[in-house]
Amino acid sequence: MKKASILALVVVPILLGSCIRTEEENTECDIEAVSLHLDTPSEFFYHDYDTIQTVISTDTDIVFTIRSYANVQRVPTTLRVTAGAAVYVITEDGTRTPFLNGSLVDYSNEQVHQFLVVSENKVWSRKYSISVVHDVPSEGNLSIGFENYYLDPSGKYYIWEAPDVFTDGTWKNGNPGFKISKSSAKPLDYPSTPVVGGGPDGSDCLKLETCDTGPFGRIVNMRLASGSMFNGVFDVGNALTDALKATQFGTPYLHKPIMMRVWLRFEPGSVFQDRNGNKVEGVIDEPDAYVVLYRNEDAEGKKVQLDGNDVLSSPYIVGLGRLPHNYNEDGSDKFSNNPIHGLTNEWKEVTIPVEYRAELNADELADKGYSLIIGFASSWGGAHFKGAIGSKFYIDNVQLFCE
Amino acid sequence: MKRIIYLTISLLFIALSVQAQEEDSFEKWGPTTGLKGGGFIARVGYVIGGTTPLPLPAEVRKINGFKPRGGISLGIDGYKMFTKRWGVSAGVHFFWEGFHTDADVKNYYVWLEQEGEITKGYFTGTNVTNTELWGVTLPLLATLRMSPRWNVSAGPYLSLYFGQTFSGEVYDNKDGVGYLREDTPVGTKILMTKENPTPYPDNFPDKMQPVALGIEIAFDWKAMKHLNVFGLLDWGMTDIWDRNFEAITFKMYPIYATLGVAYRY
């Protein structure tokens, strides 16, 4: 008995510590992926992989793009949702009908279907829309002024409208990632901001600024955020773990770009720092501006997606035009005290020709087998968190010329 | 550290077997004669335990690992018996205690504040916590002699912390699941991985209370004329965190047991 009482002194706290309570029901209610089941997907889609879309957590409007002449009707549709969540279709009169995976959904006439996903614990829900739209014919040449922008739903940062051919018609940048690290920042404190009347012609222009990410940025060793602007997808979910993967560059493009002409102005920040925040002597920060065309499907038909790791170095790149930089002999970036980009604090129109290293396949080009990237950054080492806080890169009147 | 436990338990068994051969009486095992009805006990012990919410919140799904840290207690108690069975004791115990734990959590609310910046939301994945405390505990106990050789004492204590550390990090669990839902369970899903774990801000120790109140229960067994074997439990009754600390939504209590030997005078 007495032995037992002493043992109990040790055992009781350990038992208490290991007393795991019953698991609570899931609170999340995401559509994680949507797939359409078609016997002959290539009749409808440019790529077979386009029949499946993984949905990032910030997206609620899921749009499939099919060939302009294709005609879809009722298509078996499968949603992958959070475990335990229930899915309902919301009809026009607002009634909810449970949705079963594999059910036929009528996508004719570009109908938009509303879905409601309710969490297992029935407390949380999210509304989604799914639709299939026809490809918009594009002329090729683009002219972009960064004049149309608005605040995101949280009211924290700006979003710019982009040409329709770009994913969901908006420009992408690192602002959603900056929001995670600097909750106190006002919309104009973000790395990518508009400047009212700041353009060379007096119109609104775009300002990219390399910003300090604050205490949380230091914790995760991502001490600065380069201002950025590109077409593609910014998957903020990866912003903390694998920032290079968060920037998914490019959208399929039917034309062969030959050059970009753009108005630029640049002011470097005073102190260049490395990833660990240490001052690097003898380096002046430089901006980046580029046009890339790359093959978006590999030999096995799998999707090729360039991200921060290989946006300028992938073997799938066929054409590349970039603001001049210094390079080491092995082709790696050479940070220098003698930049050759030729920009100053005065507006200047710059022409960036696209140089091709491979012949384009006309059939593949017509079949959206290539993706176009237009990208800008206020620090060209920003993807690796190198640069000078306070570097400012102003951009306006982007023109892309195609063959 | 485990060796100390084994040693203590072996001592206990040896002592128990010795006990069987002797005739006990309250007089024989009574307070030593140095002071009238009283004396001192100098204790050395191994401390094991943890700082934990009670009961464990449902957000904690699995404890993957637990390792004590530190684990030393040195103390001296003075005692005074008023009757054959009843007395009091008071003491000063210096301690260094702590632990490391690795737990899988689901929907664990986090609220992190650093220099005015706030990140908050619901984390699912692996949460690693390390804490160490050092300081002094001042118990004031009532003592009951249950038998000639067994004493049990219980009463309140006050702990003063000279130093505290509380650190940790979050990342994905063994199944590769690790993410924060920003603000609410339907907010932006931010992935976390072990390759690039997210540490707790370093201001957590600043948010810890410098004092704690609790209940101590001590069992003393008189193994030899001057040697006690003891086990005692310090059960904290006050939250280790400042009342206005929002990063951790539940109260956490230090619960530490000490096993050791004591010299009785």
Side-chain angles (χ1 to χ4, degrees):
Chain A
M1 278 304 284
K2 287 159 187 173
K3 260 186 297 177
S5 57
I6 286 194
L7 275 176
L9 284 176
V10 183
V11 172
V12 169
I14 292 170
L15 278 182
L16 280 169
S18 61
C19 175
I20 303 288
R21 283 158 66 183
T22 314
E23 184 166 351
E24 289 185 347
E25 290 177 323
N26 284 338
T27 52
E28 291 158 82
C29 42
D30 301 308
I31 294 182
E32 293 165 350
V34 182
S35 52
L36 305 184
H37 305 281
L38 293 157
D39 292 336
T40 51
S42 53
E43 279 181 28
F44 300 90
F45 288 95
Y46 287 101
H47 305 97
D48 286 359
Y49 60 67
D50 288 338
T51 58
I52 299 175
Q53 277 198 33
T54 51
V55 183
I56 61 176
S57 71
T58 44
D59 265 7
T60 51
D61 294 322
I62 300 150
V63 180
F64 289 87
T65 305
I66 53 169
R67 295 171 189 275
S68 53
Y69 53 82
N71 187 12
V72 280
Q73 305 272 335
R74 288 148 59 83
V75 182
T77 302
T78 301
L79 309 180
R80 193 178 79 220
V81 298
T82 311
V87 184
Y88 301 90
V89 182
I90 306 177
T91 49
E92 276 177 20
D93 57 12
T95 54
R96 290 184 194 180
T97 319
F99 176 81
L100 294 176
N101 267 338
S103 302
L104 295 171
V105 178
D106 185 1
Y107 294 108
S108 60
N109 301 321
E110 303 194 351
Q111 295 177 58
V112 179
H113 295 274
Q114 306 291 336
F115 289 84
L116 182 74
V117 186
V118 179
S119 65
E120 189 180 25
N121 74 349
K122 297 184 175 59
V123 174
W124 298 92
S125 63
R126 295 189 78 183
K127 270 188 185 165
Y128 286 86
S129 72
I130 303 177
S131 59
V132 175
V133 302
H134 292 95
D135 189 26
V136 191
S138 76
E139 290 183 2
N141 293 354
L142 295 175
S143 185
I144 300 151
F146 300 108
E147 258 113 46
N148 298 315
Y149 50 85
Y150 49 90
L151 283 171
D152 85 301
S154 72
K156 288 281 191 179
Y157 54 84
Y158 285 99
I159 294 172
W160 285 258
E161 285 179 10
D164 287 345
V165 289
F166 291 172
T167 316
D168 74 17
T170 63
W171 285 98
K172 298 302 183 307
N173 53 57
N175 281 354
F178 192 74
K179 178 179 166 234
I180 300 170
S181 66
K182 255 197 147 167
S183 58
S184 68
K186 301 279 180 293
L188 291 175
D189 300 337
Y190 275 72
S192 304
T193 53
V195 181
V196 176
D201 49 6
S203 66
D204 298 355
C205 74
L206 174 68
K207 182 180 96 173
L208 307 182
E209 180 169 350
T210 302
C211 295
D212 186 337
T213 51
F216 287 113
R218 287 200 292 281
I219 288 176
V220 293
N221 205 26
M222 300 178 181
R223 291 154 200 272
L224 58 79
S226 164
S228 60
M229 209 61 155
F230 62 95
N231 61 309
V233 171
F234 184 76
D235 183 358
V236 68
N238 276 317
L240 279 183
T241 48
D242 192 350
L244 293 172
K245 275 229 163 83
T247 45
Q248 298 170 4
F249 292 98
T251 39
Y253 211 61
L254 291 165
H255 306 274
K256 180 185 178 184
I258 48 173
M259 72 169 180
M260 175 164 76
R261 194 169 278 163
V262 55
W263 283 84
L264 300 173
R265 174 157 98 81
F266 181 69
E267 212 180 305
S270 52
V271 179
F272 191 91
Q273 63 181 58
D274 65 13
R275 179 158 193 162
N276 296 319
N278 300 315
K279 182 177 178 177
V280 181
E281 298 286 352
V283 174
I284 295 173
D285 200 11
E286 300 179 49
D288 215 344
Y290 46 83
V291 179
V292 176
L293 195 74
Y294 71 93
R295 184 80 178 98
N296 57 26
E297 194 177 295
D298 68 9
E300 287 152 14
K302 289 207 184 87
K303 184 175 186 172
V304 173
Q305 174 65 62
L306 301 200
D307 57 36
N309 290 294
D310 57 358
V311 59
L312 297 165
S313 61
S314 164
Y316 289 96
I317 292 174
V318 291
L320 173 65
R322 192 182 187 189
L323 209 59
H325 290 293
N326 293 302
Y327 296 96
N328 293 310
E329 276 178 24
D330 63 358
S332 60
D333 294 346
K334 183 180 180 183
F335 295 100
S336 148
N337 62 355
N338 183 25
I340 55 166
H341 53 70
L343 303 181
T344 65
N345 200 15
E346 297 296 320
W347 282 108
K348 180 183 176 188
E349 190 176 39
V350 176
T351 300
I352 300 173
V354 182
E355 285 168 21
Y356 282 85
R357 49 184 78 160
E359 280 293 312
L360 295 196
N361 179 316
D363 294 339
E364 284 167 357
L365 185 65
D367 224 17
K368 286 205 173 173
Y370 295 94
S371 286
L372 168 76
I373 302 168
I374 296 179
F376 300 97
S378 54
S379 293
W380 74 312
H384 299 278
F385 305 96
K386 293 183 232 177
I389 288 164
S391 285
K392 295 180 187 71
F393 190 25
Y394 297 85
I395 301 152
D396 203 2
N397 300 341
V398 181
Q399 286 178 286
L400 185 78
F401 297 95
C402 293
E403 236 179 40
Chain B
M1 286 303 181
K2 276 184 184 163
R3 275 189 207 153
I4 300 173
I5 301 180
Y6 293 138
L7 185 70
T8 312
I9 292 173
S10 325
L11 270 174
L12 188 67
F13 278 107
I14 294 164
L16 281 171
S17 56
V18 172
Q19 179 196 26
Q21 299 159 10
E22 293 181 18
E23 276 202 25
D24 293 334
S25 71
F26 276 85
E27 291 67 33
K28 183 178 173 192
W29 293 98
T32 46
T33 48
L35 290 162
K36 223 175 182 183
F40 293 95
I41 301 175
R43 301 177 185 275
V44 55
Y46 172 60
V47 189
I48 183 171
T51 304
T52 179
L54 269 181
L56 220 50
E59 288 91 331
V60 176
R61 300 311 320 144
K62 197 176 150 203
I63 309 277
N64 298 317
F66 178 90
K67 259 186 256 162
R69 285 183 153 203
I72 290 174
S73 168
L74 291 172
I76 186 152
D77 294 313
Y79 67 91
K80 169 82 180 165
M81 299 307 291
F82 297 118
T83 68
K84 187 173 106 181
R85 285 187 180 269
W86 288 97
V88 292
S89 76
V92 178
H93 302 170
F94 292 91
F95 64 84
W96 171 37
E97 63 199 20
F99 72 98
H100 157 97
T101 174
D102 172 336
D104 279 4
V105 297
K106 175 184 165 184
N107 260 335
Y108 178 86
Y109 185 74
V110 289
W111 192 100
L112 305 178
E113 188 268 330
Q114 281 275 84
E115 297 165 36
E117 302 297 339
I118 295 161
T119 294
K120 60 187 196 296
Y122 292 85
F123 175 73
T124 298
T126 294
N127 176 49
V128 172
T129 310
N130 304 298
T131 184
E132 282 179 43
L133 305 165
W134 51 102
V136 60
T137 291
L138 309 169
L140 179 64
L141 311 179
T143 298
L144 168 67
R145 289 186 73 184
M146 296 191 297
S147 73
R149 299 176 75 176
W150 274 100
N151 277 19
V152 58
S153 311
Y157 71 81
L158 172 73
S159 285
L160 306 171
Y161 298 119
F162 304 148
Q164 309 180 70
T165 66
F166 195 95
S167 64
E169 54 191 23
V170 293
Y171 47 76
D172 56 339
N173 64 22
K174 288 185 187 69
D175 301 324
V177 178
Y179 60 84
L180 177 80
R181 293 305 296 236
E182 207 184 8
D183 299 333
T184 71
V186 296
T188 303
K189 187 175 186 171
I190 302 157
L191 303 181
M192 314 248 167
T193 57
K194 198 166 186 173
E195 290 71 50
N196 199 356
T198 306
Y200 289 178
D202 53 15
N203 59 357
F204 272 41
D206 308 341
K207 311 289 184 183
M208 296 173 93
Q209 297 277 15
V211 294
L213 286 171
I215 299 291
E216 181 166 288
I217 302 171
F219 291 85
D220 271 277
W221 188 70
K222 294 158 190 168
M224 291 182 224
K225 187 155 188 255
H226 286 290
L227 183 80
N228 279 16
V229 176
F230 74 93
L232 66 82
L233 180 68
D234 284 337
W235 193 298
M237 297 286 169
T238 49
D239 189 6
I240 63 163
W241 301 109
D242 278 352
R243 200 171 296 168
N244 57 2
F245 186 45
E246 294 183 61
I248 293 179
T249 52
F250 35 78
K251 293 179 173 169
M252 290 177 72
Y253 305 97
I255 299 169
Y256 287 87
T258 308
L259 297 173
V261 292
Y263 180 81
R264 189 170 88 256
Y265 173 74

